[in-house]
Amino acid sequence: MALERLLPARLRATRLRHRILAAMVALLALTHGGALVGMRLVDDRARELLTAHRLGPAMAAAVEAADRAVLDGIAAGPALALSGLPDLSVSWQGPGTPTVPSGWVLDGVADAPRPVFVAAQRALLSLHSARAQTLAESLSLVAEDTAAQLRDARVYVQLAGGGWLEFASPRFWRPRTTPFEMVLAGVAAFGLALGLLLWLPGRLVRPLESLAEQATRPHDRLHPRPLPEDGPEEVASLARAFNQARNALRDLMEGRTHLLAAISHDLRTPATRLRLRAEYVDDDVLRTKMMADIDEMAAMVTATLEFLGDDVLREEVEVVAFASLLQSLCDDYADTGSPVTYHEPPPLQFAAVRTIFGGGVERSDRFEQARQLRLAGRPSSLRRAFANLIDNAIKYGERATVSVDADAAEIVVDVCDEGPGIPEAEVANVFKPFVRLEGSRNRKTGGSGLGLSIVKSIVEAHQGRIELSNRASGGLRVRVTLPRML
């Protein structure tokens, strides 16, 4: 059965909720891990900047060794470049201007003990003066400034013979992210994670919200629209189970309704035979009682057929001049001498907007024309519903007073009587089929207890509301609120 599948579907929905929470925790962990990695990168970069000055003595030692080799008679050439220096690679270039990679910019260092140049992929920021007492100290300053450029760079130091030693440091002189860029990246990562945390639960929960909206949306009770069976597997399974359960319940209700309608219809034939046979009873008193019982039974059968017929759901919706419909109904009762009073809707009244051209004077406009109060609905069903309310007001409250008002969204109708009202504890029960109250509302007054049930069914078919309340001055007020558009 479909009802038995609702529990597994609910468990799958719970699993979906747990997955959402797990995804949120994972995103938070990812953001936290990214922040830790960023902090680690910042620490590594700061540590490297603090140790970049150590390249200075190593470069100075390489230059001095190359100069001694020239004095020892070694011919100028690549053999002058030393290897095995920590964090440095060294190559030799001949006299003249140092040759740099294509597109690089060569910049000289001022106040160095000997000519020193720095080359980079684009123009460097201004280098500090390399003024120092020794070449090692001067090259230490150059190494620190070059490392602070955060890009690929080369340092060229001229030898005594006119050639050049070219120094590169893949560890210190390489592209790196600036602290500002790291902050921006961290903010962007946090914003992305926050956006995902806000978007992902909504993306996963939205199918459930749409399913709930579709399930609670007013629709034709005779032919309800099936819920869409799409979206995530859990939601689709839940929608299928809900549709199957609703279809099974609808089939059950339709079967019972058709059975009751058939029984009520079949009762008309024996009721007619009883009426014919009662006509031949000689005792006038007995005949009168029998005819009254037959009439009551026929009225109950007719009311039951009307209640089970669901004609309101089969009638086409059209634009109705609601005020005219209600007034004509009240006029029909008044023409037969019934105590029914109709109060037409109050005229429209607008408060004028104060402007600089109006001199600041407040005024209001009133339209005296009758208001039609157009409504999208089923005219025959609406007339039947309000006829039942007026009948009840006359039968149980001596007279009926009908008033109507409306705004742009809803129409409100009050049907008031002057009877004893209804006990507060019984207000919710009077809408149930075949429920009748004791006291003034007994069998002697007629009726089968289906009048308000039929009214409630018609009002709900129009997506409206019906409320009962006892008036302070005495009597019952039935308020019907109808939306102007279905």
Side-chain angles (χ1 to χ4, degrees):
M1 290 295 293
L3 289 175
E4 297 174 352
R5 298 183 56 188
L6 284 176
L7 182 58
R10 183 175 298 176
L11 294 177
R12 285 191 288 270
T14 303
R15 280 204 306 271
L16 176 61
R17 184 163 56 249
H18 291 168
R19 291 178 186 176
I20 294 173
L21 295 177
M24 295 175 65
V25 172
L27 284 174
L28 287 175
L30 180 61
T31 304
H32 180 67
L36 292 179
V37 171
M39 294 173 62
R40 181 63 181 273
L41 292 175
V42 172
D43 291 342
D44 292 344
R45 178 185 173 277
R47 191 179 300 109
E48 288 182 355
L49 291 179
L50 291 175
T51 58
H53 68 280
R54 299 176 182 176
L55 298 178
M59 289 189 292
V63 171
E64 292 173 358
D67 286 341
R68 285 196 303 270
V70 173
L71 293 177
D72 292 339
I74 298 177
L80 297 179
L82 300 178
S83 60
L85 296 177
D87 300 321
L88 280 172
S89 61
V90 188
S91 59
W92 178 86
Q93 289 191 20
T97 303
T99 303
V100 299
S102 177
W104 285 37
V105 179
L106 188 65
D107 192 7
V109 179
D111 299 329
R114 63 174 64 197
V116 177
F117 288 90
V118 179
Q121 291 179 338
R122 57 184 184 273
L124 295 172
L125 301 175
S126 59
L127 298 172
H128 293 118
S129 172
R131 179 181 297 174
Q133 295 180 355
T134 64
L135 179 61
E137 294 176 353
S138 178
L139 291 178
S140 294
L141 295 176
V142 172
E144 289 180 351
D145 288 345
T146 304
Q149 300 298 315
L150 306 178
R151 67 191 70 175
D152 284 333
R154 304 287 187 274
V155 175
Y156 301 89
V157 182
Q158 192 173 38
L159 301 176
W164 298 86
L165 284 184
E166 178 184 352
F167 296 94
S169 177
R171 175 183 175 185
F172 293 97
W173 303 334
R174 60 181 175 83
R176 281 187 293 255
T177 306
T178 65
F180 180 71
E181 292 172 339
M182 289 184 178
V183 171
L184 288 182
V187 172
F190 179 77
L192 178 61
L194 182 61
L196 287 175
L197 287 176
L198 295 177
W199 172 81
L200 184 59
R203 176 66 178 86
L204 296 177
V205 175
R206 192 173 297 115
L208 290 176
E209 294 177 346
S210 177
L211 179 64
E213 180 183 357
Q214 293 284 343
T216 56
R217 180 178 298 173
H219 51 72
D220 192 331
R221 293 188 290 112
L222 188 63
H223 302 290
R225 294 186 297 270
L227 299 180
E229 300 178 3
D230 53 8
E233 178 184 356
E234 293 83 357
V235 177
S237 178
L238 182 62
R240 284 194 296 270
F242 190 89
N243 286 334
Q244 293 176 6
R246 187 166 62 180
N247 291 336
L249 182 61
R250 183 190 61 190
D251 294 341
L252 176 62
M253 295 300 297
E254 286 184 351
R256 294 182 60 182
T257 299
H258 292 161
L259 175 62
L260 291 174
I263 294 174
S264 300
H265 182 272
D266 292 342
L267 285 176
R268 286 183 171 182
T269 300
T272 303
R273 289 199 300 265
L274 285 175
R275 181 184 296 276
L276 293 176
R277 291 171 182 173
E279 295 290 344
Y280 295 99
V281 175
D282 296 332
D283 191 336
D284 294 339
V285 176
L286 179 60
R287 183 173 62 251
T288 302
K289 292 181 178 180
M290 292 179 63
M291 295 297 291
D293 290 340
I294 294 172
D295 290 340
E296 182 178 351
M297 183 177 65
M300 291 179 62
V301 170
T302 301
T304 303
L305 288 175
E306 290 179 354
F307 177 71
L308 298 176
D310 270 337
D311 293 334
V312 61
L313 297 177
R314 296 183 175 90
E315 186 180 358
E316 294 294 332
V317 176
E318 59 184 80
V319 178
V320 180
F322 184 76
S324 299
L325 181 148
L326 204 58
Q327 184 172 11
S328 65
L329 178 63
C330 294
D331 291 341
D332 291 342
Y333 277 94
D335 291 342
T336 60
S338 300
V340 177
T341 304
Y342 173 73
H343 297 290
E344 63 182 13
L348 291 175
Q349 186 171 344
F350 299 91
V353 178
R354 293 170 53 178
T355 64
I356 58 175
F357 303 103
V361 178
E362 292 187 359
R363 62 184 180 84
S364 60
D365 295 325
R366 181 183 178 93
F367 296 89
E368 300 298 339
Q369 292 83 357
R371 298 172 62 185
Q372 293 299 319
L373 301 185
R374 298 191 180 277
L375 167 74
R378 303 170 174 91
S380 298
S381 299
L382 290 173
R383 187 179 180 89
R384 175 183 171 192
F386 287 103
N388 284 355
L389 293 179
I390 295 174
D391 284 338
N392 284 348
I394 297 174
K395 187 181 300 182
Y396 306 125
E398 298 181 1
R399 64 177 299 107
T401 302
V402 182
S403 59
V404 59
D405 199 358
D407 56 20
E410 295 179 330
I411 292 179
V412 180
V413 181
D414 287 340
V415 180
C416 303
D417 61 37
E418 298 179 359
I422 294 178
E424 295 294 338
E426 299 292 339
V427 169
N429 295 327
V430 296
F431 292 111
K432 298 178 181 179
F434 304 106
V435 172
R436 293 174 50 83
L437 302 180
E438 297 297 332
S440 63
R441 298 171 185 259
N442 53 40
R443 282 288 183 186
K444 295 180 180 180
T445 61
S448 59
L450 289 174
L452 288 179
S453 299
I454 295 174
V455 173
K456 185 174 183 290
S457 176
I458 294 174
V459 171
E460 289 181 348
H462 286 80
Q463 303 175 21
R465 307 184 304 274
I466 181 170
E467 303 168 348
L468 303 183
S469 61
N470 293 310
R471 297 194 300 165
S473 59
L476 181 69
R477 173 187 287 110
V478 181
R479 172 163 292 181
V480 176
T481 305
L482 298 171
R484 304 193 71 166
M485 295 299 294
L486 293 180

